[in-house]
């Protein structure tokens, strides 16, 4: 696997692959890679001749600077993992390479980017669109792989791709979980052993709420999840939104949309660490 840090070198190598008629898959990441990322890369390796994995801790999507500072950085281990799973190129640029000038572009795709994480982390999805649009331009990939772990992110990126006419196919990939059910996340390394156990309750309770669907109303299911999680000391629900799986608009009835998903953010432990997850009720 080749590690590349400049856009110029990346494009020179990709130009050669393109001229040989090879297909290109892109997996954007912020590093601190784990089995969740690996599943995206493995899929891209299966479906494309060439797989580019970007490793870039994008400052513009962090509205909370402490969150950015705390974020784990493990480039060497990341490259080892990527070699093992068969990536072709790791693209790990500096901040000044990606942002030679401050990015002043504003993206707005409501309600996908204005609800949930969009409401609680102002500017977050604008930063995501800034960096992902740049990566799409650099790589000109046939397919780009995103984890459903960040369910809302996929909905926002789909809107951006439609808006800007990128020719890339967005491939959503299922959440990879620890044995306990906890969604794998780079942030999990910031949790103590006890906090990890606590955090496993999030998905356990969301899964239990499936038993209430569809006999009970959306409001009852919502309140059940919030109450059960908040009853556990060390966990605090920031929001639980039951939404249309495409537009992410709130639903009030199970008949409101063909796909209905519950999206949650929970604060876990003393620090606290923000954890997100989701569950599909319908479709
Ligand atoms: P990140 O490095 O957190 O920006 O994640 C890079 C990509 O990996 C995103 O598309 C995430 O949704 C995806 N990802 C992260 N964790 C998981 C997981 N547990 N299962 C599936 N995909 C994941």
């Amino acid at each position: 696997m080749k590690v590349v840090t400049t856009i110029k070198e990346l494009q020179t190598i990709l130009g050669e692959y393109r001229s040989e008629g090879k297909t290109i898959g892109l997996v954007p990441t912020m590093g601190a890679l784990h089995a969740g990322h690996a599943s995206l890369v493995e899929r891209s390796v299966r479906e494309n001749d060439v797989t580019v994995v970007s490793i870039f801790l994008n400052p513009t999507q962090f509205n909370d600077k402490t969150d950015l500072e705390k974020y784990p950085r493990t480039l060497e281990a990341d490259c080892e993992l990527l070699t093992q799973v068969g990536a072709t190129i790791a693209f790990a640029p500096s901040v000044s390479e990606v942002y030679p000038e401050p990015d002043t572009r504003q993206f707005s795709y409501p309600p996908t980017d204005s609800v949930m994480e969009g409401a609680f982390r102002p500017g977050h999805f604008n930063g995501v669109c800034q960096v992902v649009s740049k990566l799409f331009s650099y790589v000109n990939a046939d397919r780009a792989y995103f984890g459903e772990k960040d369910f809302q992110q996929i909905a926002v990126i789909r809107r951006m791709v439609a808006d800007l006419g990128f020719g890339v196919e967005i491939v959503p990939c299922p959440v990879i979980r620890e044995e306990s059910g906890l969604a794998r996340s780079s942030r999990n390394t910031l949790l103590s052993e006890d906090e990890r156990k606590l955090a496993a309750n999030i998905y356990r309770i969301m899964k239990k709420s499936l038993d209430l669907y569809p006999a009970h109303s959306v409001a009852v299911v919502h309140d059940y999840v919030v109450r059960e999680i908040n009853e556990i000391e060390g966990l605090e629900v920031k929001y639980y939104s039951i939404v249309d799986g495409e537009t992410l608009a709130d639903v009030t009835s199970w008949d409101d949309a063909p796909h209905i998903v519950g999206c949650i953010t929970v604060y876990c432990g003393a620090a606290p660490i923000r954890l997100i997850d989701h569950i599909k009720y319908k479709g």
Side-chain angles (χ1 to χ4, degrees):
M1 188 191 62
K2 205 161 170 42
V3 182
V4 171
T5 58
T6 67
I7 300 161
K8 196 161 176 238
E9 190 184 358
L10 176 71
Q11 291 187 323
T12 304
I13 298 171
L14 291 178
E16 283 167 23
Y17 285 129
R18 278 243 170 268
S19 66
E20 293 163 9
K22 294 194 163 152
T23 56
I24 300 172
L26 169 67
V27 184
T29 83
M30 298 200 297
L33 303 182
H34 51 67
H37 301 105
S39 73
L40 272 55
V41 179
E42 283 164 352
R43 176 139 179 215
S44 174
V45 168
R46 280 200 303 276
E47 296 180 353
N48 302 279
D49 299 317
V50 170
T51 291
V52 179
V53 180
S54 59
I55 300 176
F56 181 65
L57 193 49
N58 174 37
T60 73
Q61 72 189 72
F62 283 81
N63 56 320
D64 175 353
K65 289 292 163 245
T66 334
D67 192 20
L68 174 61
E69 280 158 23
K70 278 195 299 194
Y71 205 88
R73 292 159 166 87
T74 59
L75 184 61
E76 215 173 297
D78 292 347
C79 289
E80 268 171 39
L81 184 145
L82 292 179
T83 305
Q84 274 169 27
V85 294
T88 322
I89 299 170
F91 176 54
S94 65
V95 172
S96 60
E97 180 73 9
V98 177
Y99 298 108
E101 299 290 337
D103 195 333
T104 55
R105 293 173 302 157
Q106 292 291 326
F107 298 82
S108 177
Y109 301 116
T112 60
D113 63 347
S114 57
V115 297
M116 304 194 288
E117 292 298 277
F120 284 93
R121 301 177 70 188
H124 169 65
F125 287 116
N126 197 54
V128 168
C129 287
Q130 287 176 341
V131 75
V132 172
S133 62
K134 280 173 178 269
L135 291 169
F136 284 178
S137 299
Y138 305 157
V139 176
N140 190 18
D142 297 276
R143 299 180 190 87
Y145 296 79
F146 291 90
E148 287 187 331
K149 155 90 175 22
D150 299 279
F151 190 82
Q152 185 171 7
Q153 176 168 272
I154 295 180
V156 175
I157 287 169
R158 281 191 191 287
R159 285 281 303 277
M160 183 188 76
V161 165
D163 179 35
L164 301 182
F166 284 114
V168 63
E169 178 194 345
I170 302 301
V171 184
C173 303
V175 182
I176 303 298
R177 300 180 177 278
E178 297 184 0
E179 225 172 280
S180 67
L182 175 63
R184 288 204 184 254
S185 164
S186 307
R187 289 192 171 87
N188 293 358
T189 59
L190 304 173
L191 298 170
S192 68
E193 259 322 295
D194 285 348
E195 287 169 342
R196 242 174 217 248
K197 283 184 195 143
L198 275 185
N201 286 296
I202 302 167
Y203 189 59
R204 182 183 64 75
I205 291 167
M206 285 202 297
K207 246 180 19 191
K208 253 173 75 184
S209 79
L210 290 176
D211 296 341
L212 304 177
Y213 167 85
H216 294 267
S217 68
V218 170
V220 166
V221 172
H222 170 273
D223 292 352
Y224 169 83
V225 169
V226 173
R227 192 178 57 243
E228 291 283 312
I229 294 178
N230 279 341
E231 266 175 18
I232 297 169
E233 209 183 313
L235 295 183
E236 187 199 332
V237 176
K238 201 67 195 162
Y239 64 79
Y240 187 50
S241 298
I242 301 183
V243 299
D244 178 322
E246 267 93 57
T247 66
L248 307 188
D250 276 330
V251 299
T252 52
S253 145
W254 299 120
D255 297 327
D256 280 356
H259 302 284
I260 296 184
V261 178
C263 297
I264 201 160
T265 288
V266 178
Y267 282 5
C268 177
I273 305 300
R274 286 175 60 87
L275 298 172
I276 63 171
D277 208 339
H278 75 280
I279 195 152
K280 291 180 186 171
Y281 290 105
K282 181 181 171 188

